[in-house]
Amino acid sequence: MTPPDTAPFDLPEALAAKTDPALIDRDRAHFRTIATSLEHAITELETMLAETRRAPARHGTAALERDQEVHRLSARLRTLRRYDLDLCLGRIVPAGRDGEQGEATYVGRLGLAGADGSRLLVDWRSPAAEPFFAATHAQPHGLVSRRRYRWVGGRTVDYWDEAFTDEGLAHTAALDDQSAFIATLGASRTPRMRDVLGTIQADQDAIVRAGSSGALVVHGGPGTGKTVVALHRTAYLLYADPRLGHRRGGVLFVGPHQPYLAYVGDVLPSLGEEGVLTCTVRDLVPEAPSARPEPDARVAALKADARMVAAIEPAVALYEEPPTEPLLVETPWGDVLLTAGEWAEAFDSPDPGTPHNLARDDVWDEVVSILADKLRSDELGSDGLSGDDARRVLGRHGGLREAFDRAWPLIEHTDLVGDLWTVPAYLRHCAPWLSPDEVQALRRNDPEAWTHADLPLLDAARLRLGDPEASRRRRRTAAAEARERTRMGEVIDDLRTTARETGADALGDGLVSMLVHDDLRTALVDDGALPTTGIDRLAGPFAHVVVDEAQELTDAEWLMLLRRCPSRSLTIVGDPAQARHGFTDTWPERLARVGLTDVSVMRLGINYRTPVEVMDAAEPVIREVLPHANVPTSVRESGIPVEHAPAAERDRVLAEWTAAHADGTAVVIGDPTWAGTERVRSLSPELAKGLEFDLVVLVDPHRFGDGITGAVDRYVAMTRATQRLVVLTS
């Protein structure tokens, strides 16, 4: 007997009952239509991309728009190629009229339409897809049933049904409302975060779809899916909120460390979002790679204070005080005097908020203009001297330039911050709240021996000062533009001469005559011939910032992020019980210290990752120092008790696990002598935060430290385990 056509279903024999045509025929027909449409969409995108790339080379805004279109088409094409039919997450069936079932809606990673315009897949972020994630038996959102698919290699290897009404029982096979989700929790982990979009739970989805206004805190313990929520919320907001699009600043995603960013690196591209910048807080500062940990806890605390960051402003202001003495400038037409009042007038000319080094050109131009006006006055006998000539002479005046350089110097941000630590009088002036002992504690001999605690101050100084090379680049660009305008003018003059000699407009009626206008001459300047500069993409501003493991940020680090997010639209993810240096405030109290007042908090209380056996061992560790810690409730048991053994058993434990498990990942935490392998990593407790592993081996956790820091490190390390925890002691 010929087996029934079940493609693309590839269910194991144990699930043969699920291959009943009555259960899967509708899906098979729909999948065939999706496959045809998907093939057509890929072909169409390939054609559009090729045509866009073949378009003539352009400059300026046109070139930017072309590049953006290439990026958009390429991203969409990569997403479609990344998946096949597994673009489809599942389907929902709403209640129809007279007790009948409505038309099924299939939910996908992306929206997809058929050749006739019919809706084959709705984007998971669309309002139409919301019931797929939000429906529960208590709140079914009008659904009769829901089906979730499990895909492997483009084939459906299982599916799970949930019936919300009696009518939903007619065409369903598996009626455990948690089966699809629980089945994935014990699966082996990989070096990259696994795909969990199809099994996002209702409590998580509510946070993903919350509005972007203000600061939303996602408060949850280990294993509650905070990171999953943060990543999917990022993709959702970019889709649903036009105010956050890439052209309006986009979204910045901030993680705790590089291993974490590598772990989650595939998630956003798999959701169709490739333009999101990801970084750690330290990545925002160029000096971070050479910085070392601050060895003195007292110094670290002083530099973490928001008041220390505020000291950058008076530090810069000292270099923006106008001279109080007049300046006599000698010229061939006579001497002109720049009074103290005119110095002050020039120093006030930049727009508010202009960085110091960028404002320098504005101040210089104002100084030259003031003196040029005086130079052309009748009293000096310079009648007939043009303004341009006067400014040109003054612009080349060595004495004037020297005096101006002293009055408004170019400043490197590293010099400014370094001076704070090496010149006590300067530090006392900028931070008068410091005691003499604190000023002495902050003093050091090497001004540029940067530590992690210096980075927020370096960042504040760099953004307040601006690039000291900007002025030189401006002058080079202006000179290049002038050369290009001259060259274009010569070309236009040649065309006009040809037109006069031939008696006709060689390029079409009236076109040559149009070229005499300055605005068109400027438009014809070749932007490609002008100097270009690199752009600091992490400088912002961003329309929205997502911060994971936010409980670790100091006030000074928060200011680094808020400086880049003027909208104050943030998603803040964290757990006070995992704060290595303590977290005694509520979230609103904590954030109010750095100026965030529009704060709402949403909580996650279910631990989907860590089995009961591990949480039973980890909970007393954190409650010993934080009796009221928000410890989440685990939803599953692994059946594997926590194992304790001598440290000498490390290699045996790892060898046995590797031999018994062809898949999965493991980690050794707290033993730097373990070099690590492809599947078994070696991490410190701090760098394990935010990650998860099938097997966690802790080596001498009692040596992680005392007090809150030690307890938090042990708690975090233990709760990385998804299946098995082994504690080794020397």
Side-chain angles (χ1 to χ4, degrees):
M1 179 178 177
T2 303
D5 176 16
T6 59
F9 288 87
D10 189 17
L11 279 67
E13 187 173 344
L15 300 177
K18 290 187 176 183
T19 63
D20 185 340
L23 296 174
I24 64 174
D25 270 0
R26 177 167 56 176
D27 287 350
R28 286 194 298 118
H30 197 76
F31 288 159
R32 282 195 293 268
T33 305
I34 289 176
T36 301
S37 181
L38 191 58
E39 183 178 356
H40 174 75
I42 289 174
T43 301
E44 187 176 49
L45 281 170
E46 289 173 339
T47 301
M48 293 172 62
L49 182 59
E51 291 176 350
T52 304
R53 284 174 169 163
R54 284 197 300 266
R58 299 176 179 178
H59 302 292
T61 303
L64 177 62
E65 291 176 349
R66 174 186 174 276
D67 290 345
Q68 289 175 335
E69 180 65 5
V70 168
H71 176 79
R72 185 188 69 81
L73 294 172
S74 299
R76 173 81 175 183
L77 188 57
R78 279 192 295 270
T79 302
L80 293 182
R81 285 173 172 168
R82 179 191 292 259
Y83 297 99
D84 192 3
L85 290 176
D86 48 356
L87 274 174
C88 184
L89 304 172
R91 62 171 166 85
I92 50 179
V93 179
R97 295 181 178 179
D98 301 324
E100 296 294 324
Q101 295 189 17
E103 187 69 25
T105 296
Y106 287 79
V107 178
R109 298 175 184 279
L110 299 173
L112 188 68
D116 59 355
S118 60
R119 187 174 60 179
L120 301 178
L121 291 174
V122 297
D123 192 297
W124 69 273
R125 296 167 288 189
S126 68
E130 185 173 356
F132 179 79
F133 301 98
T136 64
H137 286 278
Q139 295 288 336
H141 286 259
L143 296 188
V144 170
S145 66
R146 169 172 56 200
R147 173 171 290 182
R148 303 177 193 257
Y149 305 109
R150 183 182 179 193
W151 298 89
V152 175
R155 308 278 287 179
T156 307
V157 297
D158 201 356
Y159 65 89
W160 298 270
D161 289 330
E162 300 160 60
F164 299 103
T165 67
D166 291 341
E167 291 79 8
L169 296 173
H171 301 287
T172 56
L175 301 179
D176 177 2
D177 64 343
Q178 289 293 315
S179 58
F181 187 57
I182 298 298
T184 66
L185 297 182
S188 296
R189 267 40 177 189
T190 65
R192 299 277 189 161
M193 177 176 275
R194 60 202 176 94
D195 174 30
V196 297
L197 174 57
T199 53
I200 285 179
Q201 297 299 283
D203 59 338
Q204 298 170 331
D205 184 67
I207 298 174
V208 168
R209 295 176 188 268
S212 65
S213 178
L216 173 64
V217 175
V218 183
H219 175 107
T224 55
K226 300 186 301 297
T227 297
V228 167
V229 167
L231 291 163
H232 288 77
R233 176 168 167 78
T234 300
Y236 171 79
L237 290 177
L238 284 169
Y239 172 90
D241 193 336
R243 296 172 299 176
L244 307 185
H246 298 302
R247 295 189 181 185
R248 292 172 174 82
V251 176
L252 176 68
F253 189 98
V254 182
H257 47 70
Q258 288 300 329
Y260 166 96
L261 294 180
Y263 177 60
V264 304
D266 285 343
V267 176
L268 286 170
S270 76
L271 298 173
E273 296 296 343
E274 296 189 342
V276 178
L277 291 179
T278 62
C279 69
T280 68
V281 172
R282 292 173 188 168
D283 291 336
L284 300 174
V285 187
E287 290 73 25
S290 63
R292 57 185 175 82
E294 173 57 62
D296 188 326
R298 182 189 183 197
V299 169
L302 288 171
K303 293 180 180 179
D305 195 309
R307 292 177 295 174
M308 188 62 75
V309 178
I312 294 299
E313 183 57 38
V316 176
L318 276 177
Y319 293 97
E320 296 181 350
E321 294 181 358
T324 57
E325 297 294 329
L327 175 68
L328 187 66
V329 180
E330 298 178 354
T331 76
W333 298 275
D335 298 343
V336 287
L337 188 69
L338 186 66
T339 67
E342 289 165 339
W343 271 118
E345 179 185 344
F347 273 45
D348 285 340
S349 62
D351 292 333
T354 304
H356 172 89
N357 291 326
L358 301 183
R360 175 182 164 88
D361 284 351
D362 297 333
V363 178
W364 170 253
D365 289 344
E366 187 66 18
V367 166
V368 170
S369 294
I370 291 171
L371 292 174
D373 289 343
K374 285 189 170 185
L375 193 58
R376 296 177 62 225
S377 65
D378 293 338
E379 289 81 359
L380 291 179
S382 54
D383 189 28
L385 179 66
S386 72
D388 288 343
D389 287 341
R391 281 188 286 272
R392 185 162 48 252
V393 169
L394 291 166
R396 297 171 180 170
H397 195 290
L400 177 60
R401 173 62 73 174
E402 184 178 339
F404 178 75
D405 288 344
R406 290 194 303 269
W408 192 291
L410 287 171
I411 309 173
E412 293 279 357
H413 66 285
T414 50
D415 292 338
L416 186 91
V417 177
D419 285 349
L420 288 174
W421 312 143
T422 55
V423 183
Y426 187 40
L427 179 58
R428 283 194 297 270
H429 171 83
C430 299
W433 52 274
L434 291 171
S435 70
D437 285 346
E438 290 170 335
V439 171
Q440 185 60 36
L442 290 166
R443 188 174 183 180
R444 68 184 184 215
N445 294 326
D446 184 352
E448 296 191 4
W450 305 122
T451 69
H452 295 160
D454 291 321
L455 298 181
L457 285 92
L458 287 166
D459 184 65
R462 185 168 67 99
L463 296 180
R464 174 62 179 85
L465 291 170
D467 186 355
E469 289 295 316
S471 179
R472 299 185 184 94
R473 284 199 297 269
R474 278 184 182 179
R475 289 196 292 271
R476 288 197 297 268
T477 300
E481 285 179 343
R483 289 194 299 271
E484 279 297 299
R485 283 178 59 85
T486 299
R487 186 178 69 85
M488 191 53 59
E490 292 171 352
V491 171
I492 291 172
D493 289 342
D494 288 344
L495 289 172
R496 295 180 66 200
T497 299
T498 300
R500 283 195 301 269
E501 291 174 350
T502 60
D505 189 332
L507 298 180
D509 290 342
L511 181 56
V512 169
S513 60
M514 292 170 59
L515 295 176
V516 300
H517 296 292
D518 285 343
D519 55 348
L520 192 52
R521 288 181 182 230
T522 300
L524 292 173
V525 168
D526 181 6
D527 294 339
L530 303 181
T532 59
T533 59
I535 298 175
D536 182 2
R537 299 179 66 202
L538 294 177
F542 296 95
H544 189 84
V545 173
V546 181
V547 193
D548 202 356
E549 303 294 349
Q551 74 277 352
E552 300 294 353
L553 298 188
T554 66
D555 287 0
E557 289 171 330
W558 270 114
L559 294 178
M560 295 171 69
L561 298 179
L562 296 181
R563 203 174 291 120
R564 290 164 169 81
C565 188
S567 67
R568 297 299 189 263
S569 173
L570 300 103
T571 299
I572 298 166
V573 182
D575 177 17
Q578 296 184 63
R580 300 184 72 244
H581 302 292
F583 195 109
T584 57
D585 297 329
T586 65
W587 278 108
E589 291 169 344
R590 173 71 186 84
L591 296 172
R593 289 213 313 258
V594 293
L596 280 176
T597 55
D598 184 8
V599 177
S600 57
V601 180
M602 299 182 75
R603 300 178 183 274
L604 295 170
I606 303 298
N607 187 334
Y608 300 110
R609 175 180 66 218
T610 315
V612 170
E613 293 85 351
V614 173
M615 284 307 297
D616 284 347
E619 183 172 352
V621 171
I622 196 63
R623 291 210 185 277
E624 183 179 356
V625 294
L626 297 173
H628 303 293
N630 178 34
V631 178
T633 302
S634 293
V635 297
R636 67 185 181 93
E637 298 179 358
S638 67
I640 306 174
V642 175
E643 179 182 347
H644 294 266
E649 295 290 294
R650 183 197 70 188
D651 292 351
R652 175 194 63 80
V653 170
L654 296 175
E656 290 179 355
W657 178 85
T658 303
H661 298 82
D663 300 312
T665 60
V667 65
V668 175
I669 300 177
D671 184 0
T673 67
W674 174 254
T677 66
E678 184 177 354
R679 292 181 59 203
V680 184
R681 301 182 66 178
S682 177
L683 295 172
S684 66
E686 188 174 2
L687 290 182
K689 184 166 289 186
L691 308 181
E692 58 184 13
F693 303 89
D694 300 300
L695 167 67
V696 171
V697 178
L698 299 191
V699 180
D700 291 330
H702 60 282
R703 295 181 179 175
F704 289 0
D706 300 323
I708 288 180
T709 299
V712 166
D713 282 351
R714 285 186 285 275
Y715 177 63
V716 169
M718 296 172 78
T719 55
R720 300 309 94 194
T722 65
Q723 295 181 12
R724 181 184 175 195
L725 172 64
V726 178
V727 181
L728 304 180
T729 54
S730 300

